[in-house]
Amino acid sequence: SRMNTFSAKLLDAAIAAGISLVLAVPFVGVDVFANNGVLAVATHWQRMVLTVAVVFVGRLAYRLWHGSPMFKVKIKPIELTPYRKLGPKLALVALAVAVALPFMPLGTSYRYTLDTATAVLIYVMLGWGLNIVVGLAGLLDLGYVAFYAIGAYSYALLSSTFGLGFWTCLPLSGLFAAAFGVALGLPVLRLRGDYLAIVTLGFGEMIRIILTNWTSLTGGPNGITGIPKPTLFNLAFARTSTDGAPSFADFFGIAYSPNQRIGYLYLIILALALLTNFLVGRLRRLPIGRAWEALREDEIACRSLGINPTLVKLSAFGLGAMLGGFAGAFFATRQGFVSPESFVFAESAIILAIVVLGGMGSQAGVVIAAAVLVLIPELGRAFSDFRLVAFGAAMVMIMVWRPQGLISFRAPTVLLGKPQASP
């Protein structure tokens, strides 16, 4: 009887491996690419064998473990209540480290460290912007990358065509993205849930296709190059003076180093992220922020209280899009090049995963989730092709152990009276 039970589990694992083999052929085992204008197919048998073996071993281990007493032990989620008072202190320490990072003697790893920290802050800023729409207003947006792209291309076109500087183009890029956010909000006011997600997903893909096909304006698949870098009071971070103005190094009488521009870009995105955090925190305490949270909980109750859901949704879409446009403008000036390939649906999935994993509506949770999702691929570059698989696994684990996100606790927006200390 025991042997028969083991045979049944072995057969179940074999069936699961067979199903994974069928699914692995189109997703893992075959790559289609263009070779001199001709479509070619490359097979990856090692990936397929590895995938099937992992599924077989994992399924068999699960079935064997399922009947053991160990499986009956429940894993309790980590309770963060005792550590809430440490939050402000940890935030101050993290802020001090973030501000001092570009001035630390990092040696040869200076550029890599600041580039990685800059990437984390970009996703933190995007996560805070999407947090308005998803976390506070409760509107599922799967096309947030569109506003990211609009901000990037707005800055690229304005700076390249009219010669405007970064600090002039930055607010304009945010305004353009906000206008598109309001334009998206108008036709989807009556949609909820999955229907809203489908429309926003289509909007994101529509923007990407327009950027790809409108070659006369956006450069098409080739993108836009030669995007100017930001200056500090008209002082360029260059080796020599440009346009008659002295460079940053010449003005201060110091030796030129490429790290000066890297550190300046990092400080810019840090300032933008802190400004975003302050803005979202203040908005959440204003009547508009309370209206967002009321809309998230119950739209019908909102109407009964005299709140206009139309204006609330438009404000959420517009402000969230504006923050995405700011991040896009910084991305464009940091890269010096933009193309449609940088704004695919996978970017929207990453930003949404940051919001969900961190805890919808939680500012600190977004920071932790962004750091985790950006640093994990950096620590394991050999597994960068399986980043979305890691995201999916992380989402499943969060839904099992912490359904409300890494940091589910949020301070109440309104306190009626002074809270009493628990005995």
Side-chain angles (χ1 to χ4, degrees):
S1 173
R2 195 171 189 180
M3 192 64 168
N4 292 336
T5 303
F6 178 77
S7 300
K9 295 177 180 179
L10 193 64
L11 178 61
D12 180 77
I15 294 174
I19 296 174
S20 67
L21 176 61
V22 176
L23 296 176
V25 172
F27 291 104
V28 179
V30 178
D31 283 340
V32 180
F33 59 94
N35 186 11
N36 296 327
V38 180
L39 291 179
V41 179
T43 57
H44 303 280
W45 298 107
Q46 293 181 350
R47 293 182 183 178
M48 295 176 58
V49 172
L50 179 61
T51 302
V52 173
V54 169
V55 172
F56 177 80
V57 174
R59 181 64 179 178
L60 181 60
Y62 169 77
R63 290 302 304 273
L64 294 175
W65 184 42
H66 188 275
S68 65
M70 186 184 300
F71 186 78
K72 299 180 181 179
V73 178
K74 294 183 179 180
I75 301 177
K76 296 181 179 180
I78 301 174
E79 181 59 44
L80 298 178
T81 304
Y83 307 100
R84 289 174 186 170
K85 295 182 179 180
L86 295 177
K89 297 179 181 179
L90 293 176
L92 289 177
V93 172
L95 177 61
V97 172
V99 173
L101 185 62
F103 307 101
M104 293 181 179
L106 300 175
T108 56
S109 62
Y110 184 91
R111 184 186 183 96
Y112 175 77
T113 302
L114 286 192
D115 282 342
T116 304
T118 301
V120 172
L121 289 174
I122 290 175
Y123 281 104
V124 167
M125 189 173 177
L126 290 171
W128 280 338
L130 184 59
N131 209 12
I132 294 178
V133 183
V134 178
L136 297 181
L139 304 172
L140 184 56
D141 188 355
L142 295 181
Y144 190 72
V145 71
F147 309 121
Y148 188 35
I150 290 170
Y153 271 87
S154 296
Y155 172 73
L157 292 173
L158 289 173
S159 59
S160 302
T161 305
F162 301 101
L164 300 178
F166 172 77
W167 299 108
T168 303
C169 294
L170 180 65
L172 296 177
S173 300
L175 291 176
F176 283 134
F180 275 91
V182 174
L184 172 63
L186 287 174
V188 302
L189 296 179
R190 297 182 180 271
L191 300 178
R192 304 178 189 175
D194 298 339
Y195 302 101
L196 176 62
I198 292 172
V199 172
T200 55
L201 173 61
F203 176 77
E205 288 300 299
M206 181 181 68
I207 294 297
R208 184 183 62 83
I209 293 173
I210 290 176
L211 294 177
T212 303
N213 295 329
W214 199 351
T215 55
S216 60
L217 180 67
T218 65
N222 296 327
I224 300 176
T225 59
I227 301 175
K229 302 294 183 181
T231 60
L232 178 63
F233 301 109
N234 204 30
L235 300 176
F237 291 85
R239 188 178 299 275
T240 57
S241 60
T242 56
D243 299 331
S247 64
F248 176 83
D250 293 338
F251 183 83
F252 289 97
I254 58 177
Y256 168 77
S257 173
N259 293 336
Q260 296 167 358
R261 180 176 60 85
I262 302 299
Y264 182 55
L265 289 174
Y266 169 80
L267 291 176
I268 289 177
I269 189 59
L270 178 61
L272 290 176
L274 293 176
L275 180 62
T276 301
N277 183 30
F278 174 78
L279 176 64
V280 175
R282 291 292 298 172
L283 287 174
R284 182 172 172 262
R285 293 174 176 83
L286 293 176
I288 184 62
R290 297 197 291 270
W292 289 338
E293 294 184 323
L295 177 68
R296 179 193 64 199
E297 299 301 329
D298 194 332
E299 183 173 341
I300 297 177
C302 277
R303 294 180 183 273
S304 66
L305 293 174
I307 298 175
N308 189 342
T310 300
L311 297 179
V312 173
K313 289 183 180 180
L314 288 178
S315 63
F317 272 110
L319 289 171
M322 181 183 67
L323 298 178
F326 290 155
F330 175 81
F331 174 80
T333 192
R334 177 190 177 225
Q335 299 294 116
F337 166 77
V338 290
S339 68
E341 286 74 16
S342 300
F343 310 103
V344 295
F345 169 71
E347 291 296 315
S348 288
I350 294 172
I351 303 169
L352 182 61
I354 289 173
V355 175
V356 175
L357 292 178
M360 291 194 296
S362 172
Q363 298 290 86
V366 168
V367 177
I368 297 174
V372 170
L373 294 184
V374 173
L375 293 178
I376 285 180
E378 290 294 329
L379 297 177
R381 285 183 172 271
F383 303 99
S384 59
D385 294 338
F386 302 96
R387 178 162 41 173
L388 292 180
V389 177
F391 289 164
M395 296 283 280
V396 171
M397 294 175 63
I398 286 295
M399 285 187 289
V400 171
W401 286 301
R402 292 197 65 84
Q404 296 180 344
L406 293 174
I407 300 181
S408 57
F409 171 78
R410 291 183 294 127
T413 304
V414 179
L415 288 175
L416 300 178
K418 186 176 181 180
Q420 297 180 356
S422 58

PDB file of all heavy atoms in Angstrom, residues 298-325:
ATOM      1  N   ASP A 298     -15.697  52.103  -1.416  1.00  0.00           N
ATOM      2  CA  ASP A 298     -17.061  51.909  -1.901  1.00  0.00           C
ATOM      3  C   ASP A 298     -17.472  53.124  -2.725  1.00  0.00           C
ATOM      4  O   ASP A 298     -17.657  54.224  -2.177  1.00  0.00           O
ATOM      5  CB  ASP A 298     -18.022  51.717  -0.726  1.00  0.00           C
ATOM      6  CG  ASP A 298     -19.374  51.168  -1.174  1.00  0.00           C
ATOM      7  OD1 ASP A 298     -19.768  51.431  -2.320  1.00  0.00           O
ATOM      8  OD2 ASP A 298     -20.019  50.471  -0.367  1.00  0.00           O
ATOM      9  N   GLU A 299     -17.623  52.934  -4.031  1.00  0.00           N
ATOM     10  CA  GLU A 299     -17.971  54.050  -4.909  1.00  0.00           C
ATOM     11  C   GLU A 299     -19.409  54.503  -4.668  1.00  0.00           C
ATOM     12  O   GLU A 299     -19.721  55.700  -4.749  1.00  0.00           O
ATOM     13  CB  GLU A 299     -17.783  53.643  -6.368  1.00  0.00           C
ATOM     14  CG  GLU A 299     -18.049  54.782  -7.345  1.00  0.00           C
ATOM     15  CD  GLU A 299     -17.700  54.423  -8.776  1.00  0.00           C
ATOM     16  OE1 GLU A 299     -16.928  53.457  -8.973  1.00  0.00           O
ATOM     17  OE2 GLU A 299     -18.192  55.116  -9.688  1.00  0.00           O
ATOM     18  N   ILE A 300     -20.317  53.554  -4.388  1.00  0.00           N
ATOM     19  CA  ILE A 300     -21.711  53.925  -4.143  1.00  0.00           C
ATOM     20  C   ILE A 300     -21.822  54.774  -2.884  1.00  0.00           C
ATOM     21  O   ILE A 300     -22.569  55.772  -2.838  1.00  0.00           O
ATOM     22  CB  ILE A 300     -22.581  52.652  -4.034  1.00  0.00           C
ATOM     23  CG1 ILE A 300     -22.545  51.887  -5.361  1.00  0.00           C
ATOM     24  CG2 ILE A 300     -24.016  53.012  -3.662  1.00  0.00           C
ATOM     25  CD1 ILE A 300     -23.308  50.590  -5.329  1.00  0.00           C
ATOM     26  N   ALA A 301     -21.092  54.397  -1.843  1.00  0.00           N
ATOM     27  CA  ALA A 301     -21.099  55.205  -0.625  1.00  0.00           C
ATOM     28  C   ALA A 301     -20.536  56.594  -0.888  1.00  0.00           C
ATOM     29  O   ALA A 301     -20.976  57.579  -0.280  1.00  0.00           O
ATOM     30  CB  ALA A 301     -20.295  54.498   0.465  1.00  0.00           C
ATOM     31  N   CYS A 302     -19.553  56.690  -1.796  1.00  0.00           N
ATOM     32  CA  CYS A 302     -19.003  58.001  -2.163  1.00  0.00           C
ATOM     33  C   CYS A 302     -20.091  58.901  -2.740  1.00  0.00           C
ATOM     34  O   CYS A 302     -20.208  60.077  -2.383  1.00  0.00           O
ATOM     35  CB  CYS A 302     -17.885  57.825  -3.198  1.00  0.00           C
ATOM     36  SG  CYS A 302     -16.304  57.413  -2.495  1.00  0.00           S
ATOM     37  N   ARG A 303     -20.857  58.346  -3.643  1.00  0.00           N
ATOM     38  CA  ARG A 303     -21.928  59.140  -4.252  1.00  0.00           C
ATOM     39  C   ARG A 303     -22.950  59.588  -3.205  1.00  0.00           C
ATOM     40  O   ARG A 303     -23.444  60.714  -3.236  1.00  0.00           O
ATOM     41  CB  ARG A 303     -22.624  58.323  -5.343  1.00  0.00           C
ATOM     42  CG  ARG A 303     -21.732  58.000  -6.538  1.00  0.00           C
ATOM     43  CD  ARG A 303     -22.490  57.180  -7.574  1.00  0.00           C
ATOM     44  NE  ARG A 303     -21.639  56.796  -8.687  1.00  0.00           N
ATOM     45  CZ  ARG A 303     -21.426  57.542  -9.767  1.00  0.00           C
ATOM     46  NH1 ARG A 303     -22.021  58.728  -9.864  1.00  0.00           N
ATOM     47  NH2 ARG A 303     -20.638  57.123 -10.737  1.00  0.00           N
ATOM     48  N   SER A 304     -23.263  58.689  -2.270  1.00  0.00           N
ATOM     49  CA  SER A 304     -24.245  59.038  -1.244  1.00  0.00           C
ATOM     50  C   SER A 304     -23.746  60.139  -0.316  1.00  0.00           C
ATOM     51  O   SER A 304     -24.542  60.859   0.285  1.00  0.00           O
ATOM     52  CB  SER A 304     -24.609  57.799  -0.430  1.00  0.00           C
ATOM     53  OG  SER A 304     -23.493  57.348   0.323  1.00  0.00           O
ATOM     54  N   LEU A 305     -22.424  60.277  -0.207  1.00  0.00           N
ATOM     55  CA  LEU A 305     -21.834  61.314   0.642  1.00  0.00           C
ATOM     56  C   LEU A 305     -21.589  62.620  -0.110  1.00  0.00           C
ATOM     57  O   LEU A 305     -21.017  63.557   0.449  1.00  0.00           O
ATOM     58  CB  LEU A 305     -20.518  60.819   1.235  1.00  0.00           C
ATOM     59  CG  LEU A 305     -20.630  59.667   2.247  1.00  0.00           C
ATOM     60  CD1 LEU A 305     -19.252  59.175   2.636  1.00  0.00           C
ATOM     61  CD2 LEU A 305     -21.405  60.116   3.480  1.00  0.00           C
ATOM     62  N   GLY A 306     -21.994  62.669  -1.375  1.00  0.00           N
ATOM     63  CA  GLY A 306     -21.834  63.890  -2.152  1.00  0.00           C
ATOM     64  C   GLY A 306     -20.496  64.022  -2.849  1.00  0.00           C
ATOM     65  O   GLY A 306     -20.180  65.096  -3.369  1.00  0.00           O
ATOM     66  N   ILE A 307     -19.689  62.963  -2.854  1.00  0.00           N
ATOM     67  CA  ILE A 307     -18.392  62.994  -3.539  1.00  0.00           C
ATOM     68  C   ILE A 307     -18.607  62.680  -5.017  1.00  0.00           C
ATOM     69  O   ILE A 307     -19.329  61.735  -5.359  1.00  0.00           O
ATOM     70  CB  ILE A 307     -17.425  61.986  -2.912  1.00  0.00           C
ATOM     71  CG1 ILE A 307     -17.172  62.349  -1.446  1.00  0.00           C
ATOM     72  CG2 ILE A 307     -16.104  61.948  -3.675  1.00  0.00           C
ATOM     73  CD1 ILE A 307     -16.316  61.348  -0.712  1.00  0.00           C
ATOM     74  N   ASN A 308     -18.003  63.457  -5.872  1.00  0.00           N
ATOM     75  CA  ASN A 308     -18.117  63.256  -7.318  1.00  0.00           C
ATOM     76  C   ASN A 308     -17.055  62.258  -7.764  1.00  0.00           C
ATOM     77  O   ASN A 308     -15.877  62.607  -7.863  1.00  0.00           O
ATOM     78  CB  ASN A 308     -17.937  64.586  -8.042  1.00  0.00           C
ATOM     79  CG  ASN A 308     -18.268  64.478  -9.523  1.00  0.00           C
ATOM     80  OD1 ASN A 308     -18.319  63.387 -10.081  1.00  0.00           O
ATOM     81  ND2 ASN A 308     -18.509  65.617 -10.146  1.00  0.00           N
ATOM     82  N   PRO A 309     -17.422  60.996  -8.054  1.00  0.00           N
ATOM     83  CA  PRO A 309     -16.418  60.007  -8.465  1.00  0.00           C
ATOM     84  C   PRO A 309     -15.692  60.384  -9.743  1.00  0.00           C
ATOM     85  O   PRO A 309     -14.541  60.000  -9.943  1.00  0.00           O
ATOM     86  CB  PRO A 309     -17.243  58.728  -8.640  1.00  0.00           C
ATOM     87  CG  PRO A 309     -18.485  58.947  -7.853  1.00  0.00           C
ATOM     88  CD  PRO A 309     -18.760  60.405  -7.942  1.00  0.00           C
ATOM     89  N   THR A 310     -16.355  61.144 -10.613  1.00  0.00           N
ATOM     90  CA  THR A 310     -15.716  61.537 -11.866  1.00  0.00           C
ATOM     91  C   THR A 310     -14.483  62.391 -11.606  1.00  0.00           C
ATOM     92  O   THR A 310     -13.394  62.128 -12.131  1.00  0.00           O
ATOM     93  CB  THR A 310     -16.713  62.317 -12.737  1.00  0.00           C
ATOM     94  OG1 THR A 310     -17.843  61.481 -13.023  1.00  0.00           O
ATOM     95  CG2 THR A 310     -16.061  62.744 -14.044  1.00  0.00           C
ATOM     96  N   LEU A 311     -14.645  63.425 -10.791  1.00  0.00           N
ATOM     97  CA  LEU A 311     -13.514  64.303 -10.482  1.00  0.00           C
ATOM     98  C   LEU A 311     -12.442  63.568  -9.682  1.00  0.00           C
ATOM     99  O   LEU A 311     -11.248  63.817  -9.870  1.00  0.00           O
ATOM    100  CB  LEU A 311     -14.000  65.531  -9.720  1.00  0.00           C
ATOM    101  CG  LEU A 311     -14.960  66.459 -10.468  1.00  0.00           C
ATOM    102  CD1 LEU A 311     -15.375  67.624  -9.584  1.00  0.00           C
ATOM    103  CD2 LEU A 311     -14.314  66.962 -11.759  1.00  0.00           C
ATOM    104  N   VAL A 312     -12.868  62.663  -8.810  1.00  0.00           N
ATOM    105  CA  VAL A 312     -11.896  61.925  -7.996  1.00  0.00           C
ATOM    106  C   VAL A 312     -11.035  61.032  -8.887  1.00  0.00           C
ATOM    107  O   VAL A 312      -9.803  60.974  -8.739  1.00  0.00           O
ATOM    108  CB  VAL A 312     -12.620  61.091  -6.922  1.00  0.00           C
ATOM    109  CG1 VAL A 312     -11.636  60.197  -6.175  1.00  0.00           C
ATOM    110  CG2 VAL A 312     -13.327  62.003  -5.940  1.00  0.00           C
ATOM    111  N   LYS A 313     -11.666  60.323  -9.827  1.00  0.00           N
ATOM    112  CA  LYS A 313     -10.895  59.456 -10.733  1.00  0.00           C
ATOM    113  C   LYS A 313      -9.976  60.269 -11.622  1.00  0.00           C
ATOM    114  O   LYS A 313      -8.813  59.899 -11.850  1.00  0.00           O
ATOM    115  CB  LYS A 313     -11.859  58.627 -11.581  1.00  0.00           C
ATOM    116  CG  LYS A 313     -12.595  57.538 -10.824  1.00  0.00           C
ATOM    117  CD  LYS A 313     -13.474  56.734 -11.765  1.00  0.00           C
ATOM    118  CE  LYS A 313     -14.211  55.631 -11.007  1.00  0.00           C
ATOM    119  NZ  LYS A 313     -15.077  54.824 -11.893  1.00  0.00           N
ATOM    120  N   LEU A 314     -10.487  61.396 -12.133  1.00  0.00           N
ATOM    121  CA  LEU A 314      -9.649  62.225 -13.007  1.00  0.00           C
ATOM    122  C   LEU A 314      -8.448  62.781 -12.248  1.00  0.00           C
ATOM    123  O   LEU A 314      -7.337  62.840 -12.789  1.00  0.00           O
ATOM    124  CB  LEU A 314     -10.484  63.370 -13.589  1.00  0.00           C
ATOM    125  CG  LEU A 314     -11.508  63.000 -14.661  1.00  0.00           C
ATOM    126  CD1 LEU A 314     -12.280  64.235 -15.106  1.00  0.00           C
ATOM    127  CD2 LEU A 314     -10.833  62.349 -15.852  1.00  0.00           C
ATOM    128  N   SER A 315      -8.650  63.198 -11.014  1.00  0.00           N
ATOM    129  CA  SER A 315      -7.535  63.720 -10.228  1.00  0.00           C
ATOM    130  C   SER A 315      -6.499  62.633  -9.959  1.00  0.00           C
ATOM    131  O   SER A 315      -5.289  62.888 -10.010  1.00  0.00           O
ATOM    132  CB  SER A 315      -8.043  64.302  -8.919  1.00  0.00           C
ATOM    133  OG  SER A 315      -8.646  63.297  -8.117  1.00  0.00           O
ATOM    134  N   ALA A 316      -6.960  61.406  -9.679  1.00  0.00           N
ATOM    135  CA  ALA A 316      -6.024  60.305  -9.428  1.00  0.00           C
ATOM    136  C   ALA A 316      -5.225  59.975 -10.678  1.00  0.00           C
ATOM    137  O   ALA A 316      -3.992  59.834 -10.635  1.00  0.00           O
ATOM    138  CB  ALA A 316      -6.784  59.077  -8.934  1.00  0.00           C
ATOM    139  N   PHE A 317      -5.908  59.861 -11.817  1.00  0.00           N
ATOM    140  CA  PHE A 317      -5.204  59.567 -13.061  1.00  0.00           C
ATOM    141  C   PHE A 317      -4.250  60.691 -13.433  1.00  0.00           C
ATOM    142  O   PHE A 317      -3.113  60.440 -13.864  1.00  0.00           O
ATOM    143  CB  PHE A 317      -6.212  59.340 -14.195  1.00  0.00           C
ATOM    144  CG  PHE A 317      -6.683  57.923 -14.319  1.00  0.00           C
ATOM    145  CD1 PHE A 317      -7.978  57.576 -13.979  1.00  0.00           C
ATOM    146  CD2 PHE A 317      -5.838  56.936 -14.780  1.00  0.00           C
ATOM    147  CE1 PHE A 317      -8.424  56.285 -14.089  1.00  0.00           C
ATOM    148  CE2 PHE A 317      -6.268  55.628 -14.896  1.00  0.00           C
ATOM    149  CZ  PHE A 317      -7.569  55.302 -14.552  1.00  0.00           C
ATOM    150  N   GLY A 318      -4.703  61.938 -13.279  1.00  0.00           N
ATOM    151  CA  GLY A 318      -3.868  63.064 -13.679  1.00  0.00           C
ATOM    152  C   GLY A 318      -2.621  63.211 -12.825  1.00  0.00           C
ATOM    153  O   GLY A 318      -1.508  63.375 -13.346  1.00  0.00           O
ATOM    154  N   LEU A 319      -2.770  63.154 -11.497  1.00  0.00           N
ATOM    155  CA  LEU A 319      -1.616  63.315 -10.621  1.00  0.00           C
ATOM    156  C   LEU A 319      -0.666  62.131 -10.714  1.00  0.00           C
ATOM    157  O   LEU A 319       0.557  62.297 -10.712  1.00  0.00           O
ATOM    158  CB  LEU A 319      -2.092  63.505  -9.176  1.00  0.00           C
ATOM    159  CG  LEU A 319      -2.771  64.846  -8.886  1.00  0.00           C
ATOM    160  CD1 LEU A 319      -3.389  64.853  -7.499  1.00  0.00           C
ATOM    161  CD2 LEU A 319      -1.771  65.986  -9.025  1.00  0.00           C
ATOM    162  N   GLY A 320      -1.219  60.918 -10.788  1.00  0.00           N
ATOM    163  CA  GLY A 320      -0.350  59.748 -10.959  1.00  0.00           C
ATOM    164  C   GLY A 320       0.428  59.807 -12.259  1.00  0.00           C
ATOM    165  O   GLY A 320       1.626  59.483 -12.303  1.00  0.00           O
ATOM    166  N   ALA A 321      -0.240  60.242 -13.341  1.00  0.00           N
ATOM    167  CA  ALA A 321       0.444  60.369 -14.627  1.00  0.00           C
ATOM    168  C   ALA A 321       1.510  61.453 -14.591  1.00  0.00           C
ATOM    169  O   ALA A 321       2.580  61.310 -15.200  1.00  0.00           O
ATOM    170  CB  ALA A 321      -0.582  60.665 -15.720  1.00  0.00           C
ATOM    171  N   MET A 322       1.254  62.547 -13.881  1.00  0.00           N
ATOM    172  CA  MET A 322       2.237  63.625 -13.791  1.00  0.00           C
ATOM    173  C   MET A 322       3.531  63.139 -13.142  1.00  0.00           C
ATOM    174  O   MET A 322       4.639  63.437 -13.633  1.00  0.00           O
ATOM    175  CB  MET A 322       1.660  64.787 -12.989  1.00  0.00           C
ATOM    176  CG  MET A 322       2.602  65.972 -12.852  1.00  0.00           C
ATOM    177  SD  MET A 322       1.925  67.301 -11.840  1.00  0.00           S
ATOM    178  CE  MET A 322       1.882  66.497 -10.233  1.00  0.00           C
ATOM    179  N   LEU A 323       3.417  62.368 -12.068  1.00  0.00           N
ATOM    180  CA  LEU A 323       4.617  61.840 -11.412  1.00  0.00           C
ATOM    181  C   LEU A 323       5.347  60.860 -12.327  1.00  0.00           C
ATOM    182  O   LEU A 323       6.583  60.826 -12.343  1.00  0.00           O
ATOM    183  CB  LEU A 323       4.223  61.169 -10.098  1.00  0.00           C
ATOM    184  CG  LEU A 323       3.587  62.102  -9.057  1.00  0.00           C
ATOM    185  CD1 LEU A 323       3.191  61.328  -7.812  1.00  0.00           C
ATOM    186  CD2 LEU A 323       4.535  63.238  -8.700  1.00  0.00           C
ATOM    187  N   GLY A 324       4.591  60.064 -13.076  1.00  0.00           N
ATOM    188  CA  GLY A 324       5.232  59.186 -14.055  1.00  0.00           C
ATOM    189  C   GLY A 324       5.949  59.971 -15.142  1.00  0.00           C
ATOM    190  O   GLY A 324       7.008  59.561 -15.628  1.00  0.00           O
ATOM    191  N   GLY A 325       5.378  61.121 -15.541  1.00  0.00           N
ATOM    192  CA  GLY A 325       6.034  61.963 -16.540  1.00  0.00           C
ATOM    193  C   GLY A 325       7.330  62.562 -16.022  1.00  0.00           C
ATOM    194  O   GLY A 325       8.323  62.663 -16.768  1.00  0.00           O
TER     195      GLY A 325
END
